[in-house]
Amino acid sequence: MTKTSNLTLTFSMAKENEFYEIKHFLKRNKTYSANRDDLIYLVRSNNALVATARLLNIEGSDCALWLRGLFVAEEFRHNKIASQLLEHIHTDLFINQKTDCIFAFAEVHLNHFYLQNQYQIIEPDLLPISLKQRFINAQQQGKKWLCLMKPL
């Protein structure tokens, strides 16, 4: 449990019985949905869901995950919740030795945020092959994403 401003936050990994709530939270906030096999971390304030992070296994890689989505409800932004959630994820994955690094794609305006959270900008050639192909496809569709990596 963490105290931020006047918020008391609880961080956890999602359980199977929370999936319905997660899907509705994401839909209500008009953001990407989640799948049952995603690794999902949650942030709650007074038992209400306020933020999520989705990580996916990367095809062909046993030691890396892809941070596919990080979302904080609008009314809870600017409280450093996203940074705290990333720190919780990094610590949990490191302690449990689940991965060596996390890859992420981010819009250019989020560069400072990710650099503050110890992500490094990398060349797409350093991505696992399946993830590199997703990045190339996104670029071909006009996305101006940064390619990032966080070693654990």
Side-chain angles (χ1 to χ4, degrees), residues 6-73:
N6 292 326
L7 299 174
T8 300
L9 304 174
T10 305
F11 299 82
S12 64
M13 190 181 307
K15 297 174 190 73
E16 178 67 28
N17 64 351
E18 295 173 302
F19 187 72
Y20 182 76
E21 178 188 11
I22 293 164
K23 283 194 71 98
H24 280 276
F25 171 78
L26 295 171
K27 185 176 182 179
R28 188 171 56 249
N29 287 285
K30 298 178 176 86
T31 191
Y32 296 104
S33 190
N35 297 311
R36 287 193 182 276
D37 56 346
D38 295 348
L39 180 59
I40 303 171
Y41 284 86
L42 309 174
V43 181
R44 294 182 180 279
S45 176
N46 297 326
N47 213 28
L49 192 54
V50 299
T52 64
R54 277 178 65 210
L55 292 106
L56 301 162
N57 290 313
I58 301 170
E59 183 182 328
S61 176
D62 294 335
C63 60
L65 292 170
W66 176 28
L67 178 61
R68 177 65 178 90
L70 176 63
F71 180 78
V72 177

Side-chain angles (χ1 to χ4, degrees), residues 21-128:
E21 178 188 11
I22 293 164
K23 283 194 71 98
H24 280 276
F25 171 78
L26 295 171
K27 185 176 182 179
R28 188 171 56 249
N29 287 285
K30 298 178 176 86
T31 191
Y32 296 104
S33 190
N35 297 311
R36 287 193 182 276
D37 56 346
D38 295 348
L39 180 59
I40 303 171
Y41 284 86
L42 309 174
V43 181
R44 294 182 180 279
S45 176
N46 297 326
N47 213 28
L49 192 54
V50 299
T52 64
R54 277 178 65 210
L55 292 106
L56 301 162
N57 290 313
I58 301 170
E59 183 182 328
S61 176
D62 294 335
C63 60
L65 292 170
W66 176 28
L67 178 61
R68 177 65 178 90
L70 176 63
F71 180 78
V72 177
E74 193 168 336
E75 61 271 25
F76 289 90
R77 293 181 187 167
H78 308 291
N79 288 300
K80 300 197 180 290
I81 293 172
S83 291
Q84 291 176 63
L85 177 54
L86 285 178
E87 181 60 32
H88 175 80
I89 291 166
H90 300 155
T91 301
D92 184 59
L93 292 174
F94 178 77
I95 288 171
N96 293 306
Q97 300 176 342
K98 291 186 179 176
T99 188
D100 292 334
C101 69
I102 298 173
F103 293 100
F105 304 154
E107 295 179 12
V108 175
H109 75 276
L110 295 171
N111 180 28
H112 182 70
F113 167 77
Y114 280 98
L115 292 177
Q116 277 187 320
N117 286 284
Q118 290 80 47
Y119 280 74
Q120 305 163 0
I121 297 173
I122 63 169
E123 293 297 321
D125 288 339
L126 296 175
L127 291 168

